[in-house]
Amino acid sequence: MLYLVPTPIGNLQDITLRAIEILKSADLILCEDTRTSGVLLKHLGISRPLKSYHAFNEHIILAQLIPQLKEGKNMALISDAGTPGIADPGFLLARACLREGIEVQCLPGPTAFVPALLKSGLAADRFVFEGFLPVKKGRKTRLESLKTEARTLVFYESPHRIGKTLQELSDFWGAERLASVSRELTKMFEETKNGTLAELAAYFANRAVKGEIVVVVEGCSS
Ligand code: SAM
């Protein structure tokens, strides 16, 4: 059995009781960075074998993991933070398991885009999660193709690019579109700024921003 186990995106109290139980009983915990996850597991008093599973080795180690899962080993996949498979490795392993008839369970739990979407005050009944925009190649094409998207749009963004990205979104999609920037969700310096794209672009222009960021933008209304 493969368990996809969400871990906190900041506040350690957001781990669920079930996540702790699954991690305690796993034969092997797959994690992006054994040092990062080691800190969380130590905090939870969990000592299980760890193996690194990240974007750079996931293709290679799939072939080792599948036979072990077929033999009956229980594995838990965690990422550095949030839900594995959401802008993080996980999809390839889940797909390979399902193709091989191995059961996959995904526990509900922390992920950054849900609180950001709800704190934006924008329509949450229908939305699209776009993860990270392409940094260079394909960026303009993506922005063009999303321009007429009617559902609320959700992106992950780095603090270094947030000012530039908001200005681009304002230029491509219109200065008056409503948007929201959530930073450091569940952490000490959590902050959400709501406004038009032009207002947010002005606020974040040339501002040294730290931390992790989710951007939410109103869908196209025309
Ligand atoms: N798997 C994670 C999830 O379920 O949300 C996402 C991992 S992705 C590699 C990391 C990005 O998620 C960050 O760059 C940021 O955009 C977003 N993120 C993660 N934690 C966050 C937080 N506490 N506050 C705001 N955004 C966060």
Side-chain angles (χ1 to χ4, degrees):
M1 171 91 90
L2 171 70
Y3 293 93
L4 304 172
V5 181
T7 55
I9 56 168
N11 190 326
L12 294 182
Q13 292 190 25
D14 290 337
I15 189 92
T16 67
L17 296 175
R18 191 163 158 230
I20 295 172
E21 189 185 296
I22 296 295
L23 291 172
K24 274 190 176 154
S25 63
D27 296 310
L28 182 65
I29 298 177
L30 304 167
C31 54
E32 278 186 274
D33 183 328
T34 50
R35 275 170 306 178
T36 305
S37 296
V39 174
L40 173 72
L41 295 169
K42 193 169 174 208
H43 169 82
L44 297 171
I46 295 172
S47 171
R48 304 300 305 145
L50 294 181
K51 189 174 179 71
S52 76
Y53 179 88
H54 46 68
F56 304 104
N57 75 355
E58 61 177 337
H59 286 87
I60 301 161
I61 67 166
L62 269 184
Q64 299 165 17
L65 299 176
I66 295 297
Q68 294 178 39
L69 283 156
K70 276 189 153 174
E71 279 165 20
K73 275 200 175 173
N74 284 324
M75 294 189 194
L77 174 65
I78 59 178
S79 58
D80 283 351
T83 300
I86 300 297
D88 267 333
F91 151 71
L92 285 180
L93 183 57
R95 184 178 66 178
C97 284
L98 293 169
R99 284 181 177 166
E100 295 290 335
I102 298 159
E103 197 176 338
V104 177
Q105 284 279 347
C106 179
L107 276 58
T111 188
F113 75 84
V114 173
L117 174 63
L118 275 296
K119 288 185 79 184
S120 74
L122 297 170
D125 52 344
R126 297 175 71 215
F127 64 92
V128 283
F129 173 66
E130 281 287 322
F132 290 96
L133 281 167
V135 177
K136 286 197 179 116
K137 197 168 174 283
R139 188 175 173 94
K140 287 199 169 149
T141 318
R142 182 75 55 87
L143 290 176
E144 280 296 348
S145 74
L146 292 171
K147 187 174 178 176
T148 53
E149 171 58 62
R151 293 167 291 181
T152 302
L153 299 119
V154 186
F155 302 92
Y156 284 168
E157 187 49 285
S158 97
H160 322 292
R161 273 190 301 268
I162 185 64
K164 181 175 164 268
T165 295
L166 288 166
Q167 189 55 56
E168 270 182 324
L169 295 179
S170 173
D171 295 344
F172 271 79
W173 297 349
E176 293 309 310
R177 270 236 217 161
L178 295 176
S180 171
V181 176
S182 276
R183 203 172 62 81
E184 296 288 83
L185 289 159
T186 79
K187 301 185 197 177
M188 193 184 294
F189 297 107
E190 172 166 348
E191 175 189 38
T192 296
K193 287 251 167 237
N194 296 337
T196 64
L197 279 172
E199 286 166 349
L200 291 173
Y203 178 83
F204 284 99
N206 307 317
R207 191 176 285 255
V209 184
K210 286 191 183 149
E212 301 192 279
I213 292 176
V214 185
V215 180
V216 184
V217 185
E218 180 185 31
C220 176
S221 55
S222 54

